[in-house]
Amino acid sequence: MKILVMDDIQDKIKNIVRTILEVGGIEKDDIEVAIDTDTARLFLLQKKYDVLILDLNMPESVVDDSTENAGEDFIDEIIGIEAINKPTEIVILSAYEECEDSFVKEESRNAFHILRYDESSIAWQTRLKAIIQYRLLYVSQTTNENI
């Protein structure tokens, strides 16, 4: 299983990766990290991910500041550009309610998992682990059927 984590805050990245690694069957090598949308785009052009976890408030490149709509624009790119490998699951993990509210205004975006990141809460961790566990079941089942 391949997971791409897209965030630009180091402590948050550590918390996300630690949470993912608590799921049985996931190893460090299954997880890649992009700290800006340019890097994430390159990853998605090169390979297929089972799960993309991203913050909506991201920089476009390593030299840019974060912007509220960079993650939204990136999801629109994923959907609209044929050359980009589409992740099977997209999980938005944002600490900013205003980013979430803006994102869900467009009906086509209701298919994605939207979790509120709060360092002091385990709610996001519980949901993220459940999403990954379910996806892992699917990947495992598909692999066994192909044997």
Side-chain angles (χ1 to χ4, degrees), residues 15-122:
N15 285 337
I16 294 168
V17 171
R18 286 180 185 141
T19 298
I20 294 168
L21 290 173
E22 290 176 12
V23 176
I26 303 292
E27 304 294 329
K28 284 182 185 178
D29 291 343
D30 298 326
I31 304 167
E32 294 182 320
V33 175
I35 60 170
D36 56 58
T37 58
D38 285 351
T39 304
R41 185 179 303 105
L42 289 174
F43 282 149
L44 289 170
L45 286 167
Q46 294 171 1
K47 63 178 87 160
K48 171 96 168 112
Y49 291 88
D50 297 288
V51 180
L52 167 63
I53 302 164
L54 78 150
D55 188 3
L56 294 174
N57 192 12
M58 293 284 300
E60 288 191 37
S61 73
V62 73
V63 297
D64 294 328
D65 291 327
S66 295
T67 61
E68 284 184 18
N69 61 344
E72 274 185 63
D73 293 345
F74 187 68
I75 289 174
D76 290 340
E77 262 188 71
I78 291 170
I79 293 167
I81 298 176
E82 193 173 323
I84 293 178
N85 292 301
K86 313 304 184 238
T88 307
E89 300 284 343
I90 295 179
V91 179
I92 292 122
L93 188 58
S94 180
Y96 303 103
E97 186 174 352
E98 58 276 5
C99 289
E100 290 176 41
D101 291 344
S102 170
F103 181 78
V104 296
K105 284 181 183 175
E106 194 168 321
E107 192 174 316
S108 65
R109 295 177 174 162
N110 290 331
F112 305 116
H113 302 279
I114 301 174
L115 309 180
R116 170 68 55 80
Y117 179 80
D118 180 348
E119 198 173 301
S120 65
S121 171
I122 64 164

